[in-house]
DNA sequence: AAAATGACCAGAATACCACATCGGTCATCC
DNA sequence: GGATGACCGATGTGGTATTCTGGTCATTTT
């Protein structure tokens, strides 16, 4: 029974359920079935534990996406597939959703910082993909960082903000169609 | 000397400078050079005064845009012009900027509600313009509300969020180029 | 001996209460 | 009769007493 792993699992569960601030180390210890002190033999402090949890999730997402990208397929197809994957894994983003909620509701500084870090991770990943697309002459010349920022914020707008003003969340197909028909379509190089 | 107008002017100034909560009725009375009680002969309460101020600004923006729209020009040209106008008038949005700041910092319920109202006003205006474009066969078939939402949120992302992660704000030309080359380009019907 | 544990501590967060401030009214004044 | 500001009740603020929580470490367990 890997104690370190148990702790990570428990921490993920607790952060997802209660957010950063409301998660106590004692809580995590209880979920992971270890003593409080044990946590500190594997992680320097609460913040480091938090970082490990988040980066684990981000890496999972990146690898998942990498696995799906088909170098032979067109940029539009790949973008479509990747976006679909992200949408299907909304559940797994529950942690991120909780963090965004905590950020807007309480403004916890550690969470704020972490969200910026997550944003920058994702944007630089997407930028890289866009730069690839440009190099392969599949998408128009553009500023990759700007476009990545636009894509990221648009995605968030539909996943997070939409619910705030509309009672029904947009379903995956609608979001996918919208992105494909406007953003991806605008980016694709006309041949 | 139009007392009602003086009050509106003073209120606009104060809300822009201090936000909703930090603006006191006495403050507004002082700026407008009237007695406190006088405000209540023209406005039912603080919230109504706030609404009048905001709707006055929204209507100004709508008329400004209407004036610029050229029914003979293409959708892309009009979108470009309208966006440029909005960008040039960032200063006038100072009130909106202040409200967004107050919303994220304090979460004042009246402000939150008002921002939702502003959002819905703008989105329904943009939706209308998009529906026009579709009817005139200038832009692709799409869900006007979804696209309007996307445009609005993207605009805000670059005006408000960009500064949070990048020290230099994006200049107008860059935003304009980005929108034209991706979103507007994607929406335009290929002929 | 090495790893795990939970009682313990200091500092941060919360709850509470006395007090000040502000939105809104209304008797008075011009 | 419209404008005014002293006044009122309710809401918000600041300062303090108390609780809670992250992190340590002497003791226990394996």
């Amino acid at each position: 029974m890997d104690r370190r792993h148990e702790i990570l699992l428990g921490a993920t569960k607790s952060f997802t359920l209660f957010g950063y601030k409301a998660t106590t180390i004692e809580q995590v210890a209880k979920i992971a079935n270890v003593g409080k002190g044990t946590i500190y033999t594997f992680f320097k402090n609460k913040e480091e534990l938090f970082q490990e949890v988040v980066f684990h999730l981000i890496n999972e997402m990146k690898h998942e996406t990498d696995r799906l990208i088909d170098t032979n397929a067109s940029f539009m197809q790949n973008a479509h597939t990747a976006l679909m994957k992200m949408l299907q894994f909304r559940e797994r983003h529950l942690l991120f959703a909780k963090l965004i909620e905590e950020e807007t509701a309480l403004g916890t500084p550690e969470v704020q910082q972490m969200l910026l870090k997550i944003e920058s991770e994702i944007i630089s990943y997407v930028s890289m993909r866009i730069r690839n697309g440009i190099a392969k002459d599949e998408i128009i010349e553009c500023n990759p960082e700007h476009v990545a920022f636009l894509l990221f914020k648009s995605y968030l707008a539909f996943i997070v903000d939409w619910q705030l003003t509309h009672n029904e969340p947009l379903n995956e197909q609608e979001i996918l169609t919208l992105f494909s028909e406007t953003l991806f379509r605008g980016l694709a190089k006309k041949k």
Side-chain angles (χ1 to χ4, degrees), chain A:
Chain A
M1 177 232 246
D2 182 357
R3 291 173 123 65
R4 191 191 144 90
H5 190 242
E6 290 293 318
I7 293 170
L8 264 177
L9 236 59
T12 305
K13 199 182 280 181
S14 184
F15 285 136
T16 304
L17 225 51
F18 308 112
Y20 179 76
K21 235 197 69 173
T23 287
T24 70
I25 291 289
E26 214 147 16
Q27 171 90 264
V28 174
K30 195 166 282 176
I31 298 177
N33 261 91
V34 297
K36 187 150 72 120
T38 311
I39 292 179
Y40 289 89
T41 64
F42 294 108
F43 304 93
K44 209 175 80 222
N45 52 34
K46 187 178 178 184
E47 211 169 331
E48 200 184 278
L49 177 59
F50 184 42
Q51 281 185 7
E52 295 266 348
V53 166
V54 170
F55 279 104
H56 189 259
L57 206 60
I58 290 185
N59 283 329
E60 233 179 37
M61 280 169 48
K62 277 190 193 166
H63 290 135
E64 197 80 49
T65 310
D66 282 341
R67 220 173 43 77
L68 282 171
I69 298 283
D70 176 357
T71 44
N72 294 319
S74 74
F75 169 79
M76 264 199 57
Q77 270 175 322
N78 277 329
H80 191 277
T81 316
L83 178 59
M84 196 162 68
K85 192 71 193 172
M86 285 300 112
L87 287 165
Q88 281 170 358
F89 278 71
R90 257 198 246 196
E91 306 284 308
R92 274 229 234 136
H93 305 176
L94 241 52
L95 172 61
F96 298 147
K98 189 73 197 180
L99 294 182
I100 291 173
E101 186 195 314
E102 185 172 349
E103 142 75 28
T104 51
L106 308 175
T108 321
E110 291 90 343
V111 173
Q112 205 160 353
Q113 223 179 313
M114 185 56 73
L115 283 174
L116 290 179
K117 189 89 186 105
I118 293 173
E119 176 178 320
S120 113
E121 280 294 317
I122 295 179
I123 288 182
S124 78
Y125 180 85
V126 176
S127 289
M128 178 269 281
R129 288 278 166 214
I130 291 173
R131 241 176 266 118
N132 273 2
I134 299 177
K136 285 170 110 184
D137 206 38
E138 287 201 297
I139 69 181
I140 58 169
E141 298 285 335
C142 61
N143 183 319
E145 272 74 29
H146 293 181
V147 174
F149 186 81
L150 175 63
L151 286 171
F152 177 69
K153 289 293 179 177
S154 301
Y155 178 77
L156 273 193
F158 281 103
I159 297 298
V160 180
D161 295 354
W162 182 271
Q163 264 106 324
L164 300 179
T165 36
H166 308 75
N167 3 24
E168 306 244 335
L170 238 51
N171 72 47
E172 277 124 41
Q173 194 50 56
E174 286 174 309
I175 298 180
L176 207 49
T177 306
L178 181 67
F179 271 64
S180 293
E181 288 188 352
T182 61
L183 278 163
F184 297 158
R185 186 162 175 278
L187 286 170
K189 203 144 189 169
K190 292 168 189 171
K191 294 228 180 165

